[in-house]
Amino acid sequence: MPSKTTERAPAERPGRGPHRRGPFARGPFGRGPLTLRARRARTAYLFLAPALLFFAVFYYVPIADVVHTSLHTGPRADEFDGLGNYVDAFDDPAARNSFVVTLLFTVGTTVGAIVLGLGLALLVNRPLRGRALFRLALLVPYLTSVAVVGLLWRNILDPQLGILNRMLREFDLPTQQWLNTAPLTTLVVITLWQISGYTMILFLAGLQGIPEVYYEAAYLDGAGSRQRFWRITLPLLAPTTLFVAVMAVISGLQAFGQAYIITNGGPADSTDLYVFHLFNVAFRSRDFGYSSALSVLLLIVIMVFTALQMRAGRRREVRY
């Protein structure tokens, strides 16, 4: 009988077949295998390219231009001065005063935002009637621009025509100079009135993300409401608290509209916030080199504060 021969397909080496596109696929220009991780990274960068281009054009390029301008002086900032503007910034008593005022303002708004936001979130997280309307009412001030809020409160606090002094006159009480007695505290209160709704929403999302099983187990173990708050709620809200603190510090250090619209930096520079001082140097004194140096120093301060907060927050993060 004639023997039957079986034709065998030629053996293929790993990675030689055209259909093999697994971890042995060749990279561009034949420079070795393109791993799954590399392919994912390449895809991610392709999707991130529009955002990176946007940040490069509208953020990084302007920052580089500000740094370049800060090294120059003169009416048009065209005379190279090296670090002279930075030396002047540290020797300027007005700049130091504005930085101290801004730090006090930032501390007040940050602590107040955390305390008020958490307190309101605990309140509206309960099954109360009309809580949806209450949440919306608290969030409306945050959705209003700083300019509108500033004009609103400037009229409310007006010593002659303001509604607060009118109410005091109706009750035969002495009127107050609201923007002269404690102007910086007044700005802090107005800012908290505007941002407390936003921080409330953040803390509310954090509260609703805590599993109920933790509270049930603590209740069965005999823990009271205070113990459940300090041992469960507060530790598990650490990431939310960190986010609120970082955003409040950045917002406080960059505050401008409150001083510009409500107090104009007064009285006696007691509300001369750093960005408002920077604005006066740039657009009233026309010293763009010095104002650019002040901007770079503010950027460095924000980066340092943010890094310290992130490091401290990660150390205190608790997981059950």
Side-chain angles (χ1 to χ4, degrees):
M1 294 179 63
S3 60
K4 296 181 180 181
T5 59
T6 304
E7 296 183 357
R8 295 181 179 180
E12 296 181 358
R13 297 181 181 179
R16 293 295 184 179
H19 62 283
R20 295 181 181 270
R21 303 300 298 172
F24 301 101
R26 291 285 180 177
F29 308 107
R31 294 183 178 178
L34 189 64
T35 62
L36 177 61
R37 181 178 181 182
R39 292 202 303 273
R40 288 180 176 177
R42 181 181 61 182
T43 304
Y45 279 115
L46 287 176
F47 280 104
L48 289 174
L52 293 176
L53 180 62
F54 174 84
F55 275 97
V57 173
F58 295 100
Y59 285 88
Y60 301 138
V61 173
I63 289 175
D65 182 67
V66 170
V67 173
H68 177 266
T69 306
S70 67
L71 301 177
H72 295 73
T73 186
R76 298 183 179 180
D78 53 359
E79 301 175 8
F80 184 75
D81 192 34
L83 299 178
N85 289 320
Y86 294 94
V87 175
D88 294 340
F90 286 101
D91 292 337
D92 187 3
R96 292 198 301 267
N97 172 74
S98 64
F99 184 71
V100 172
V101 170
T102 304
L103 282 181
L104 295 175
F105 176 83
T106 302
V107 170
T109 54
T110 301
V111 175
I114 294 174
V115 174
L116 283 178
L118 180 57
L120 292 173
L122 292 172
L123 178 63
V124 300
N125 195 38
R126 298 180 179 181
L128 301 175
R129 180 177 298 179
R131 63 178 181 177
L133 182 61
F134 186 61
R135 294 175 184 176
L136 179 62
L138 291 174
L139 192 59
V140 167
Y142 178 76
L143 302 177
T144 308
S145 66
V146 177
V148 174
V149 171
L151 292 174
L152 172 67
W153 279 98
R154 191 177 68 179
N155 292 329
I156 291 176
L157 301 176
D158 187 88
Q160 301 299 327
L161 304 176
I163 187 174
L164 288 182
N165 280 342
R166 285 186 180 182
M167 294 177 60
L168 293 177
R169 294 191 190 98
E170 291 293 332
F171 291 98
D172 294 330
L173 296 175
T175 59
Q176 302 293 327
Q177 297 288 333
W178 301 101
L179 297 178
N180 293 330
T181 305
L184 187 60
T185 304
T186 303
L187 290 188
V188 170
V189 172
I190 294 173
T191 304
L192 291 177
W193 175 83
Q194 184 180 13
I195 68 175
S196 59
Y198 174 66
T199 57
M200 175 201 68
I201 294 297
L202 295 177
F203 278 113
L204 183 62
L207 287 173
Q208 294 180 352
I210 300 177
E212 286 292 333
V213 64
Y214 294 153
Y215 294 104
E216 295 174 359
Y219 179 78
L220 293 177
D221 289 340
S225 57
R226 291 185 178 180
Q227 291 178 325
R228 293 196 297 268
F229 173 77
W230 289 104
R231 298 296 179 88
I232 298 177
T233 303
L234 204 58
L236 291 180
L237 283 179
T240 305
T241 306
L242 174 63
F243 178 77
V244 172
V246 171
M247 297 303 296
V249 167
I250 295 175
S251 178
L253 293 175
Q254 294 179 337
F256 168 74
Q258 297 89 333
Y260 180 74
I261 298 174
I262 301 176
T263 62
N264 197 28
D269 294 335
S270 59
T271 59
D272 187 22
L273 298 179
Y274 190 87
V275 178
F276 180 70
H277 175 72
L278 190 154
F279 169 81
N280 290 329
V281 172
F283 298 102
R284 293 180 181 176
S285 301
R286 310 295 293 181
D287 194 346
F288 296 107
Y290 182 48
S291 62
S292 298
L294 293 176
S295 301
V296 174
L297 291 176
L298 177 62
L299 175 62
I300 295 174
V301 169
I302 291 176
M303 293 175 63
V304 170
F305 270 93
T306 303
L308 292 176
Q309 286 179 293
M310 295 295 292
R311 185 174 182 180
R314 289 174 181 174
R315 289 182 176 180
R316 296 181 180 180
E317 187 174 352
V318 177
R319 293 181 181 179
Y320 291 148

